[in-house]
Amino acid sequence: MKKKTRIVELVISDDSQELAIDAISLVTSPAIEQDFVFFGKEKNNLTFAKVDEEKRELISPALIPNKQIFRHDPNTDSDYYVYFSKDTVKQAAYLYLKHNNHHKATYQHQDRVSGVLTVESWIKEGDSDKSNMYGFDLPVGTWFVKMKIENDELWNKIKEGELKGLSIEGYFVNKMETMSKKEFTTEEVKTALKELLSVQKVELGLIDDLEKKYNKLQASAKPHVDKAYSEAAKISKIAMELLDVSQQADKLLKQAKELGADKAINTLEQLKKRAEVKEKYYSTIAEGISKASNK
């Protein structure tokens, strides 16, 4: 039997928008399979624009909408593809600048590097986009960046052709899994029911059956709800422990900065952010359950 390959749309989670694009990495093999154009005398392939090599600038797509990117899951030993819609690409570009991540960069998705700064960021909106003059023929909605490289070691790797493109670092979630977890509010349920009843003739007997079904569901839900209240205390405890992780990571981060340990700084910054996001997320859940128990 032929093995099926999944295609997954990735989106930005509402509870981790500040982590959407945490950094941009200079890599040998970019995931979107598009090399950047660098401004140099020896390898300048620009048709209309020529910039002095001393400026040390490069142009590259950061995300291409609907571009299928190959991935492998070692936990399930399965291959799959992911992609981003135009709206997600645009949102990612916006959040990247909003949270001041334009100065964050890594080398081969590992070491945090200095001397790399995003100086321009734009979304291609039409056929006359300025990315055309740099030799790119990519879809409308593509996110482009111009980066200035003041790091001598990295610039040499770019000139020598060792580094060929950019790859984003961030946190995204499976759109279908997110939709399946959506919880509808009471008002959404009431509105949907009202619209349904407005276009159908409902007999009194059906309404009576619906009332009985409602009461039955309420009785069935009660033990589960009671259990949820007890679980809220456990979730709240986890949130407090995550807060402690965040605070400890912050202390270690300050020490790492004093020692100039770049790799540790990058790891601790990401750990601190993830702990903060999840602490807020679990606290919100616990608070929501607690409020509901008082109604």
Side-chain angles (χ1 to χ4, degrees), residues 2 9 38 48-49 56 68 73 80-81 84 146 154 181 239 263 268-270 283 285:
K2 187 177 180 180
E9 179 181 354
F38 82 93
F48 301 109
R56 293 189 176 188
Q68 292 184 9
D73 186 348
Y80 64 104
Y81 289 89
F84 304 87
K146 177 190 284 188
L154 290 178
K181 295 177 183 177
K263 190 170 184 179
L268 288 168
E269 283 181 340
Q270 294 190 33
S283 294
I285 292 175

Side-chain angles (χ1 to χ4, degrees), residues 24-30 32-39 43 45-46 57-62 134-136 138 144-147 149 154-155 157-167:
I24 291 181
S25 188
L26 296 163
V27 297
T28 301
S29 301
I32 57 174
E33 300 173 348
Q34 287 286 332
D35 295 354
F36 50 59
V37 175
F38 82 93
F39 300 129
K43 299 181 180 180
N45 61 349
L46 306 182
E57 296 175 333
L58 60 84
I59 295 285
S60 176
Y134 299 123
F136 292 111
L138 293 174
F144 286 94
V145 293
K146 177 190 284 188
M147 305 189 80
I149 314 298
L154 290 178
W155 185 249
K157 291 181 183 295
I158 291 171
K159 288 199 301 179
E160 292 166 2
E162 179 181 339
L163 295 177
K164 298 181 180 297
L166 306 180
S167 186

Side-chain angles (χ1 to χ4, degrees), residues 193-223:
L193 183 60
K194 183 178 180 180
E195 292 176 352
L196 178 64
L197 297 180
S198 67
V199 296
Q200 296 184 15
K201 182 178 180 180
V202 182
E203 297 179 1
L204 292 178
L206 294 177
I207 295 177
D208 185 55
D209 290 341
L210 191 61
E211 186 73 25
K212 290 178 180 179
K213 184 176 181 180
Y214 169 80
N215 293 332
K216 183 179 179 180
L217 290 171
Q218 281 285 82
S220 299
K222 189 177 185 306

Side-chain angles (χ1 to χ4, degrees), residues 74-89:
N75 296 320
T76 60
D77 191 27
S78 60
D79 298 336
Y80 64 104
Y81 289 89
V82 299
Y83 73 95
F84 304 87
S85 69
K86 285 184 179 180
D87 288 340
T88 300
V89 171

Side-chain angles (χ1 to χ4, degrees), residues 227-241:
K227 183 178 179 181
Y229 294 155
S230 65
E231 294 296 325
K234 298 178 183 178
I235 296 173
S236 180
K237 183 179 178 182
I238 292 172
M240 292 298 295
E241 292 177 352

Side-chain angles (χ1 to χ4, degrees), residues 6-13 66 82-88 172-182:
R6 294 182 300 137
I7 299 177
V8 178
E9 179 181 354
L10 295 182
V11 295
I12 297 171
S13 175
N66 302 315
V82 299
Y83 73 95
F84 304 87
S85 69
K86 285 184 179 180
D87 288 340
T88 300
F172 298 87
V173 294
N174 185 324
K175 181 180 181 180
M176 294 306 296
E177 290 180 358
T178 302
M179 292 177 64
S180 68
K181 295 177 183 177
K182 176 177 172 60

